Amino acid sequence: APAASCRPDGGLAYLEVKSVTLAEQYGSTTDKIALFPDTVSDRAQRHVQELTRMVQSGQEAICVFVIQRGDCSWFAPCWEKDPQYARLLGQAVEAGVKVVAMCCSLDMPADVVVDEEGAVQGGGPLSATVRYTGPAKVDLQYKQQSAQQEQQAKGKARGRKRKAVGS
């Protein structure tokens, strides 16, 4: 659940912090975009709804996405993995929830190697340093249209299948 944080002026701001590891190439650019969530997340959906309710009741609410990889300069909700979460995040922003995406890199000890899949190879106990490298740009509509078209196509296919079974 979101945690309350004290502001310099003494007021409260409610924070929800999400760890982001999924990424892909960002369109035809050389940039990568970090995506959250990486699977359907009822819990994340509930949390963003709580933030929306807090803003609607006059509180301040912020959803912070910590991108834990050094190769991304963009962030987006993952419409393909959890379209409901992506919709709810858009509604939260419209209601006044702030979204902050932070780029971080992991500095690993010299005896640890991380392969392209993100698997750790070698080394002893893992102790990495997380370094903030700057803000990420946010694209709330990234792949929204294609994900919605795919959902519609799946719905039509289910309807045809039900019709064929019932015939």
Side-chain angles (χ1 to χ4, degrees):
S5 175
C6 193
R7 297 174 40 87
D9 63 6
L12 290 179
Y14 291 88
L15 298 176
E16 179 66 20
V17 180
K18 299 294 186 191
S19 173
V20 185
T21 57
L22 178 65
E24 66 183 33
Q25 204 64 38
Y26 185 47
S28 60
T29 72
T30 58
D31 293 339
K32 281 196 172 180
I33 188 165
L35 303 166
F36 181 87
D38 57 7
T39 188
V40 173
S41 177
D42 295 334
R43 184 171 171 250
Q45 292 173 21
R46 279 193 315 276
H47 290 169
V48 78
Q49 289 172 316
E50 288 177 34
L51 292 176
T52 302
R53 284 191 294 275
M54 289 172 187
V55 165
Q56 291 169 338
S57 71
Q59 304 294 319
E60 182 176 8
I62 306 163
C63 195
V64 180
F65 295 92
V66 179
I67 302 166
Q68 297 192 46
R69 42 187 307 146
D71 59 349
C72 296
S73 55
W74 286 87
F75 166 78
C78 192
W79 282 91
E80 292 174 327
K81 303 285 184 179
D82 192 345
Q84 179 65 12
Y85 178 81
R87 263 190 296 283
L88 290 168
L89 184 63
Q91 292 168 2
V93 168
E94 287 176 13
V97 173
K98 295 178 179 91
V99 169
V100 175
M102 302 170 48
C103 297
C104 295
S105 66
L106 295 176
D107 296 335
M108 301 300 245
D111 62 340
V112 173
V113 176
V114 179
D115 66 22
E116 287 185 19
E117 309 288 308
V120 177
Q121 307 293 323
L126 186 59
S127 63
T129 302
V130 178
R131 187 169 35 95
Y132 172 69
T133 59
K137 295 168 239 153
V138 177
D139 182 349
L140 294 177
Q141 280 82 40
Y142 177 70
K143 290 197 173 179
Q144 175 183 6
Q145 189 173 22
S146 61
Q148 288 174 333
Q149 289 170 344
E150 185 177 318
Q151 289 288 3
Q152 289 172 348
K154 285 181 182 177
K156 287 179 184 175
R158 279 192 297 264
R160 285 192 298 270
K161 189 175 181 179
R162 273 189 234 117
K163 203 175 213 179
V165 170
S167 300

